[in-house]
Amino acid sequence: KVMMQIADENAFEHVEGTVFQDGMITDRGYFDIRMNFDDNINGDICITALDPTTVVPDPQAKEWNPDTWREVYITKWLSIDDLTELYGEEKAEEARTQALSTNLGAEYAEYTRRGTFGTPEFGYAYDQIPSDERDIKRIRVIDRQHFVIDRQKVFVEPITGEESPVPDSWDEVKIDEYTALTGSYVITKTSKRVRWTVSAGSVVLHDDFSPYPFFTIVPYFPQFRRGKPLGWVRDLIDAQ
């Protein structure tokens, strides 16, 4: 019933259909599963379908399972207001200043003329607008989730040997309370952890360990053979 409620809240039948069509047509589809705190302070599970053209999986991957990948990228275009909302005014202004003072190229920034109602569909090029009239329309943001090797404290259940990571925010007092309550003990071991890095140009908007032990990206490949996905529509296209 919990799974049904989560599926209903996310209109999962529609989301799954979208990902299935993406896989059939473009060889790959992607879910994104993470917590959302917009309507609930404790968080809701949010499941969305990503545009497969904006997701770049590990180019060295040999298996469909993202737990075996080293990294995955998501690229997206965000306005300065979007950057301010997500990463704070200071980071947004830093990204805006860099884009205005440096020609990042059409792949990384879209420019607009200040004080006008509209612009061409993809904005102006950097050198088409006088510097005193130049403003930022959108900036490309690179969202990277990647595995790193890290020394981490873990709780160990003495009977089963099951391990669970100690939250980074816990101090020694809270750790001692938990071990006294559960009977578990703490060891330090080397393990893989997900690092989450978000950048706009050379400006790092966010760089910290992910709150999740896995990538938020869940792929769907109709067929996957040695690093190469294949959908059904590709085989319908004439070789000529």
Side-chain angles (χ1 to χ4, degrees), residues 87 91 94 196-208:
Y87 304 106
K91 288 292 186 180
E94 186 179 353
W196 205 325
T197 306
V198 185
S199 59
S202 62
V203 177
V204 178
L205 302 172
H206 174 80
D207 183 34
D208 200 355

Side-chain angles (χ1 to χ4, degrees), residues 55 60 83 124 155 157 162 166 178 189 205 214 225:
V55 180
Q60 303 300 321
L83 291 176
Y124 291 98
F155 294 115
E157 211 288 325
E162 290 290 329
V166 176
Y178 182 84
K189 61 179 294 185
L205 302 172
F214 39 72
R225 174 67 178 171

Side-chain angles (χ1 to χ4, degrees), residues 112-128:
T112 183
R113 189 185 295 271
R114 189 180 297 116
T116 59
F117 284 104
T119 64
E121 182 179 357
F122 296 105
Y124 291 98
Y126 182 83
D127 54 1
Q128 287 181 313

Side-chain angles (χ1 to χ4, degrees), residues 66-86:
D67 287 342
T68 65
W69 301 355
R70 295 180 304 176
E71 58 192 353
V72 62
Y73 294 83
I74 305 173
T75 69
K76 49 191 172 184
W77 289 95
L78 296 179
S79 67
I80 299 301
D81 289 341
D82 293 333
L83 291 176
T84 301
E85 179 183 357
L86 292 171

Side-chain angles (χ1 to χ4, degrees), residues 34-35 37 168 193-194 196 206 208-214 216:
R34 63 181 69 186
M35 298 300 293
F37 298 91
D168 293 331
R193 296 183 67 184
V194 178
W196 205 325
H206 174 80
D208 200 355
F209 286 110
S210 172
Y212 311 106
F214 39 72
T216 62

